[in-house]
Amino acid sequence: MLTKVYSAAINGIDAFPVTIETEVAQGIGFSIVGMADQAVRESYQRMASALKYSNFTFPHMRTVINLAPADVRKEGASFDLPMAIGLLTASEKLICPNLSDYMMMGELSLDGSVLPVKGVLPMAVKARELGFKRLIVPVANVTEAAVVNRIEVFGVENLAEAASLLTGDSELQPVQINTRELFARNSEVFDFDFSEVKGQESVKRAFEVACAGGHNILMVGPPGAGKSMMAKRLPSILPPLSMSEALETTKIHSVAGKLSRGSMLMTKRPFRTPHHTVSPVALVGGGTNPMPGEISLAHNGVLFLDEFPEFPRQVLEVMRQPIEDRVITVARAKYTVDYPASFMLVASMNPCPCGYYGHPTKACTCTPGQVTKYMNKISGPLLDRIDIQVEIEPVAFDDMADKTPAESSAAIRERVMRARAVQQERFRNNPGIHCNAQMNSKLLHEYAWPDESGLAKLKERMTKLNMSARAFDRILRVSRTIADLDYTARINADGSPAMTIDEITVAPVLAGHIAEAIGYRSLDRGNYGKVF
């Protein structure tokens, strides 16, 4: 008898359907075809033991299992459960009248338990797109899959429970989750707050500008100045994830197996902090079994690279293209996959090998050549791609001893969200562009071109600092964000906004905005350590 059971596999961060065709007939032999990897071929032993402990008899007949489409490689143990169900239905040991309504996936333990698998969320999304009515997943993945609405999701603990559900003998109920309520409840809770940061007002301002426009930022300062402390608090002032961003971010982490048991929709922007010993493949993704890298896990969030110059140059240079294109294409001989990589790069570094170059009280022991060599670890093209470069000084004792709480993350976040609202209106007719950092040359000329005094200021500074054309674009992007923050902060005497969102959208970039943006480029190659 021939039966068909439906499952799914992962390609990049999206799923594609896999039809598991099982034929059981007279004869001897067992084979799995359809470009199955070693983990899939080893399912014979797992299925035989699982069927035994679930009170089923393994059909000792000629059995052929085809995983269609046959020209796409199938990997992992997520096909164990659907293949076992296919064996039982093809050998007529299980009668499932509505089998075509179900998509299922799960790894089988030897005792018949159904173990969790990766990528359940994109599989659930694909099941809904294809019109399946019900989805069977491991109980450990059920809350992750239940995020997808308009499809019934059942979590099973073992093979016997799945078989009972398919025959209609089970009273198991689908899991339902109020996604929007969960999203609203958890998106405002953070472990760190800027109210705990003493002093460093100029750096906080730079962070506010960076978050308001989605700009990359580099901090340079001595040890103990608070670089890592402030970076960890950056997510608390970023705008909350939209529902579509949360779904896309959760899909990436689901495919990578980074979601813990019982996880649902991610409600906070990711904050990834890879160690400086990370390999290029771990950063960008790929491998024998392609998986998202750190830059994709930071999608819609923050990638924090501490001790920036300590990363191997090869690792840093692979980020140049993803920073510009916001997508990473991993091309190998056997596969090509695209992973989203729209992240905010936050990096920190010491100013020199000893860490005290420019320190107000401690003497630097490095020679000028050592300082230059240390800075040259960061290539000019990569430094050009970092919109904001800010120097940090040690916190003064009076600031540290002050018990008065600093401005809270909630207050900063409110200003950031107002600026982002302007950008959403500005780019509503430009698909794929959501913030000022993503503007192309056409949009820069349309929305970020300075007035005459601002253009003169920009020309003077760029000539003096010998900045590149890319730095010119970065300055315009940052100045547009500074202008958005400036205009949204203006209020009338009665407390009402002085300008509407439509007015702010096209309001000019002024010389003061340009001057502040140029101030964030003081670390450009050849100018480090100079005072202008």
Side-chain angles (χ1 to χ4, degrees):
M1 182 177 176
L2 175 65
T3 61
K4 294 183 179 181
V5 181
Y6 301 96
S7 187
I10 298 297
N11 181 32
I13 66 166
D14 296 315
F16 63 92
V18 174
T19 303
I20 299 173
E21 303 173 327
T22 306
E23 183 193 35
V24 176
Q26 293 294 329
I28 300 175
F30 181 93
S31 59
I32 299 176
V33 298
M35 286 191 71
D37 74 345
Q38 185 65 25
V40 179
R41 292 195 297 269
E42 289 175 350
S43 62
Y44 173 84
Q45 285 80 10
R46 293 192 296 271
M47 287 190 294
S49 178
L51 289 172
K52 172 185 174 182
Y53 283 95
S54 301
N55 297 321
F56 293 108
T57 303
F58 192 90
H60 295 289
M61 304 172 68
R62 186 179 65 82
T63 303
V64 178
I65 299 177
N66 177 44
L67 307 179
D71 60 342
V72 180
R73 186 169 178 80
K74 320 300 184 310
E75 299 173 340
S78 63
F79 302 111
D80 287 0
L81 177 60
M83 284 196 295
I85 295 297
L87 273 176
L88 293 173
T89 53
S91 60
E92 301 182 341
K93 299 180 184 299
L94 204 65
I95 306 300
C96 306
N98 300 315
L99 188 60
S100 61
D101 292 342
Y102 290 85
M103 179 181 280
M104 62 189 76
M105 64 284 302
E107 177 184 346
L108 288 177
S109 177
L110 295 182
D111 64 356
S113 300
V114 180
L115 304 178
V117 296
K118 299 177 182 178
V120 167
L121 179 58
M123 293 179 188
V125 172
K126 179 57 67 174
R128 183 182 65 181
E129 290 178 1
L130 296 175
F132 286 95
K133 298 178 181 178
R134 300 175 181 89
L135 181 69
I136 299 177
V137 299
V139 69
N141 296 119
V142 68
T143 51
E144 175 188 343
V147 167
V148 181
N149 54 16
R150 300 196 303 275
I151 186 172
E152 294 183 348
V153 179
F154 298 88
V156 296
E157 294 185 354
N158 50 61
L159 175 59
E161 191 173 15
S164 178
L165 176 64
L166 290 166
T167 57
D169 298 329
S170 173
E171 296 182 356
L172 190 65
Q173 297 298 314
V175 174
Q176 295 181 343
I177 295 176
N178 190 330
T179 306
R180 295 192 178 278
E181 179 183 342
L182 167 76
F183 197 74
R185 185 173 66 246
N186 295 332
S187 60
E188 303 292 334
V189 180
F190 297 96
D191 296 329
F192 304 104
D193 195 280
F194 268 98
S195 61
E196 303 156 353
V197 179
K198 304 295 185 181
Q200 304 292 12
E201 298 304 322
S202 62
V203 184
K204 291 179 185 178
R205 168 64 178 180
F207 270 34
E208 181 178 337
V209 173
C211 292
H215 304 287
N216 303 321
I217 183 170
L218 170 65
M219 300 174 286
V220 182
K227 301 185 295 294
S228 299
M229 179 184 183
M230 285 185 284
K232 291 177 181 178
R233 285 153 178 78
L234 197 62
S236 67
I237 62 174
L238 282 169
L241 286 168
S242 66
M243 191 63 71
S244 60
E245 286 178 328
L247 184 62
E248 186 178 32
T249 305
T250 308
K251 283 172 62 177
I252 297 171
H253 286 251
S254 174
V255 169
K258 301 297 183 181
L259 297 180
S260 58
R261 182 186 177 100
S263 294
M264 291 174 274
L265 198 66
M266 293 182 65
T267 57
K268 300 175 185 175
R269 294 186 181 273
F271 183 80
R272 304 295 301 181
T273 58
H275 192 260
H276 61 257
T277 56
V278 66
S279 68
V281 173
L283 189 68
V284 303
T288 304
N289 298 322
M291 297 293 290
E294 288 291 336
I295 63 174
S296 295
L297 293 171
H299 180 63
N300 290 325
V302 176
L303 178 69
F304 177 47
L305 302 183
D306 200 7
E307 304 298 340
F308 202 35
E310 302 304 326
F311 284 80
R313 193 181 186 94
Q314 180 185 7
V315 172
L316 295 179
E317 293 305 304
V318 299
M319 292 195 302
R320 286 162 54 175
Q321 178 262 335
I323 288 176
E324 290 288 332
D325 299 341
R326 298 183 181 272
V327 65
I328 178 69
T329 300
V330 180
R332 300 291 184 267
K334 295 183 178 180
Y335 64 84
T336 299
V337 294
D338 292 329
Y339 293 120
S342 181
F343 59 91
M344 180 178 167
L345 175 63
V346 180
S348 69
M349 60 180 289
N350 294 329
C352 65
C354 79
Y356 296 105
Y357 177 76
H359 195 283
T361 58
K362 293 187 178 181
C364 174
T365 60
C366 304
T367 64
Q370 288 176 313
V371 176
T372 302
K373 182 179 179 180
Y374 191 74
M375 285 299 298
N376 282 338
K377 290 184 178 182
I378 313 299
S379 70
L382 181 58
L383 197 62
D384 263 352
R385 286 169 168 83
I386 300 177
D387 304 357
I388 297 176
Q389 306 153 6
V390 59
E391 295 182 83
I392 301 179
E393 295 184 355
V395 182
F397 178 82
D398 290 342
D399 289 331
M400 288 188 289
D402 188 0
K403 294 184 178 180
T404 305
E407 186 178 29
S408 67
S409 292
I412 303 174
R413 192 186 203 194
E414 184 178 351
R415 295 196 295 269
V416 168
M417 291 174 63
R418 287 202 299 265
R420 283 292 182 103
V422 172
Q423 294 164 50
Q424 289 176 2
E425 178 66 19
R426 177 180 294 135
F427 305 126
R428 67 182 186 277
N429 296 323
N430 297 274
I433 298 180
H434 309 287
C435 58
N436 290 333
Q438 299 172 344
M439 282 193 290
N440 54 33
S441 297
K442 178 183 177 182
L443 294 176
L444 283 174
H445 281 78
E446 185 174 354
Y447 294 116
W449 205 253
D451 58 7
E452 290 187 8
S453 60
L455 198 60
K457 182 81 170 178
L458 183 57
K459 178 181 179 180
E460 174 198 348
R461 287 297 185 175
M462 286 202 65
T463 303
K464 187 173 185 179
L465 301 180
N466 194 27
M467 293 181 179
S468 68
R470 182 177 285 113
F472 174 80
D473 286 352
R474 300 286 173 179
I475 290 171
L476 291 183
R477 291 188 180 103
V478 174
S479 62
R480 178 68 263 178
T481 300
I482 295 170
D484 290 343
L485 286 168
D486 179 20
Y487 291 128
T488 55
R490 298 182 184 182
I491 58 173
N492 295 318
D494 60 358
S496 61
M499 302 173 67
T500 66
I501 287 182
D502 289 338
E503 291 172 335
I504 298 173
T505 296
V506 295
V509 175
L510 305 179
H513 306 143
I514 291 288
E516 183 177 351
I518 294 174
Y520 294 135
R521 302 294 303 183
S522 60
L523 302 184
D524 273 337
R525 181 66 61 233
N527 299 317
Y528 178 66
K530 296 182 181 180
V531 179
F532 300 98

